[in-house]
Amino acid sequence: MERVPLRRQVSSTSPILANDFRALWQKVGGDVQRAVARVGESGWLILGKEVTAFEQSLARLWGLEQAVGCGNGMDAIEIALRVLGLKPGDPVLTTPLSAFATTLAILRAGGRPVFVDVTEAGGLDLSLSREVLTKHPEIKFMVPVHLYGHVLDLDELERLREDLGLKIVEDCAQSILGRQGGRNCGTVGQCAATSFYPTKNLGAMGDGGALLTNDPELAAQARRWRDYGQAAKYVHVLPGLNSRLDELQAAILNHALLPRLDRFTETRRAIARGYYAGLGEVRALEVPVTDLESSVWHLFPVLARGDRARICEHLASRSIQTAFHYPQLIPDQQAMQPAAFEVATPLSVARRWTQHEISLPLHPFLGDVDVQRVIAACRELDLLRL
Ligand SMILES: *Cc1c(COP(=O)(O)O)cnc(C)c1O
């Protein structure tokens, strides 16, 4: 049985954090220290046995042939686009509502982002995508994001890929272990990319990421791209990156965190079910409808009907941390000003999300008492007419 740290059960005012890395350390610190010792004692720090072993564990868990550890999730997306043959200026359909890294990876690979609006659940609108892709057959690349851990419609994504001959990199940075209709997210695109940034569902003790694929040739190319474009020592065949997952992070992931991912994901689902049950009658918040069971609940997004800032102030007064995912549309970011990109549809739904979304705390160390405290504080919003 997982034990909830005692202080969480007795205190009604301890802060409820968006992420609790101290609680994580209490749980996994011993295993992390042993993993660090393994690496130190091995005398090998970069691209060694630990990375290979972790890549094998991850690929097996995911049900894909190959995993290639990278320095971070953004590089994994960039490398995936490069090995799929993206050429400078090629258009890449993607979502305007995501971590900026999704689009930045496209830009760094030389692509031209084409933004399409999201659905009422916050994820890329695949029907709109089909319209845009049909009208613009020159778009051959797509980076869909399984945002918040909610898995996009994989059947429709597959039909898009087949009908339109697309090259797809699924951004699974928030959706590791997400399954729908008996298959995993990340298995429809030619490549999947994921991130081990500490806040992610499988978070390392620092940066990390991976590219996954069933195609051994793509994996071999990706291994070159991540390591200065080397085909063999001092033989550089590509203008590659320096983007390797290091032995320390690989060992920590493989020995301390991956073995707990299933249980952590189940806890996330239980918390999401609790929120659904408790927030249904809260007028101040709209809880977007999504498939409770396929999502891995990286975040729990709700939409404020009233003044978002005042709602968050109230929650903060109850020591509850909130966050916005995301407060600005990607094409509106300053860094996009000099970039070549297109906005293919009105982005009104995505814009509504940037203005009204609030992420409630959701991580594997929240106890029942915490979830009930968040729900109670949300119910107070109605009494306060917020
Ligand atoms: C975190 C994240 C990334 C980038 O991953 P890094 O490891 O931080 O580079 C990309 N896409 C999404 C959707 C993310 O959440």
Side-chain angles (χ1 to χ4, degrees):
M1 273 299 295
E2 295 278 312
R3 287 210 63 98
V4 177
L6 198 57
R7 73 189 156 80
R8 293 225 158 277
Q9 289 178 336
V10 294
S11 168
S12 62
T13 52
S14 61
I16 300 183
L17 304 170
N19 291 287
D20 192 341
F21 296 113
R22 284 215 190 85
L24 176 68
W25 183 254
Q26 278 189 15
K27 178 116 215 130
V28 308
D31 288 341
V32 170
Q33 282 169 330
R34 279 183 287 279
V36 170
R38 278 171 77 93
V39 174
E41 287 161 14
S42 80
W44 194 281
L45 301 176
I46 299 289
L47 293 185
K49 284 196 294 231
E50 296 294 339
V51 168
T52 304
F54 171 67
E55 288 175 342
Q56 285 168 356
S57 309
L58 184 70
R60 198 176 319 118
L61 176 76
W62 210 304
L64 285 166
E65 287 277 313
Q66 301 266 342
V68 180
C70 299
N72 53 68
M74 183 173 87
D75 288 354
I77 300 170
E78 175 186 341
I79 292 172
L81 288 168
R82 289 183 179 278
V83 300
L84 288 174
L86 186 86
K87 295 283 169 303
D90 281 350
V92 183
L93 190 149
T94 193
T95 172
L97 187 72
S98 181
F100 191 66
T102 306
T103 286
L104 191 49
I106 294 170
L107 292 173
R108 294 193 68 90
R112 182 160 50 88
V114 177
F115 296 105
V116 169
D117 207 0
V118 302
T119 68
E120 299 296 329
L124 180 63
D125 187 325
L126 297 183
S127 313
L128 268 182
S129 296
R130 177 178 284 276
E131 284 175 30
V132 170
L133 290 162
T134 307
K135 205 161 133 212
H136 297 280
E138 71 278 13
I139 307 176
K140 285 293 171 217
F141 290 85
M142 182 173 180
V143 182
V145 181
H146 302 289
L147 195 69
Y148 308 130
H150 302 346
V151 180
L152 293 167
D153 182 340
L154 296 180
D155 291 337
E156 177 56 15
L157 193 61
E158 185 167 50
R159 282 191 292 273
L160 282 176
R161 192 199 68 208
E162 286 175 353
D163 296 349
L164 301 159
L166 299 178
K167 302 234 165 112
I168 297 178
V169 177
E170 289 180 62
D171 181 341
C172 301
Q174 303 188 358
S175 65
I176 191 165
L177 287 194
R179 278 177 79 74
Q180 183 190 80
R183 63 173 156 182
N184 292 337
C185 68
T187 58
V188 168
Q190 287 85 349
C191 294
T194 197
S195 164
F196 311 121
Y197 184 77
T199 61
K200 302 297 157 82
N201 288 25
L202 179 61
M205 305 292 294
D207 277 308
L211 172 163
L212 293 105
T213 179
N214 267 331
D215 184 332
E217 187 46 41
L218 293 180
Q221 286 289 356
R223 289 180 203 288
R224 292 171 180 174
W225 273 104
R226 74 171 171 188
D227 190 26
Y228 319 127
Q230 284 187 111
K233 197 164 171 133
Y234 303 133
V235 181
H236 301 265
V237 295
L238 295 163
L241 287 69
N242 174 359
S243 186
R244 303 166 297 227
L245 182 66
D246 66 56
E247 288 283 285
L248 274 177
Q249 296 303 340
I252 290 168
L253 285 162
N254 207 17
H255 298 285
L257 296 159
L258 198 64
R260 294 182 164 97
L261 180 59
D262 255 323
R263 188 179 286 189
F264 283 175
T265 304
E266 274 319 306
T267 305
R268 286 176 183 273
R269 288 210 174 97
I271 293 166
R273 279 194 292 270
Y275 278 152
Y276 257 89
L279 295 175
E281 266 143 44
V282 173
R283 256 208 39 77
L285 302 175
E286 179 188 335
V287 183
V289 178
T290 193
D291 176 4
L292 268 168
E293 296 310 309
S294 74
S295 179
V296 292
W297 297 102
H298 174 58
L299 295 166
F300 195 90
V302 297
L303 297 168
R305 292 191 210 271
D307 186 328
R308 176 169 70 172
R310 289 186 59 207
I311 289 175
C312 292
E313 263 169 42
H314 174 69
L315 296 178
S317 78
R318 296 289 181 265
S319 302
I320 296 165
Q321 235 181 28
T322 53
F324 304 147
H325 296 90
Y326 293 84
Q328 200 172 9
L329 287 184
I330 289 173
D332 292 348
Q333 292 282 357
Q334 188 185 337
M336 296 303 290
Q337 282 174 14
F341 68 90
E342 265 155 63
V343 175
T345 70
L347 303 180
S348 40
V349 184
R351 186 157 281 115
R352 191 166 94 85
W353 276 74
T354 63
Q355 291 161 350
H356 301 287
E357 191 271 348
I358 301 170
S359 301
L360 298 181
L362 201 171
H363 59 74
F365 304 97
L366 280 185
D368 275 349
V369 174
D370 301 308
V371 173
Q372 293 312 320
R373 256 180 67 197
V374 175
I375 291 169
C378 290
R379 289 192 173 144
E380 289 168 346
L381 297 169
D382 286 353
L383 301 175
L384 295 164
R385 302 185 175 283
L386 281 174

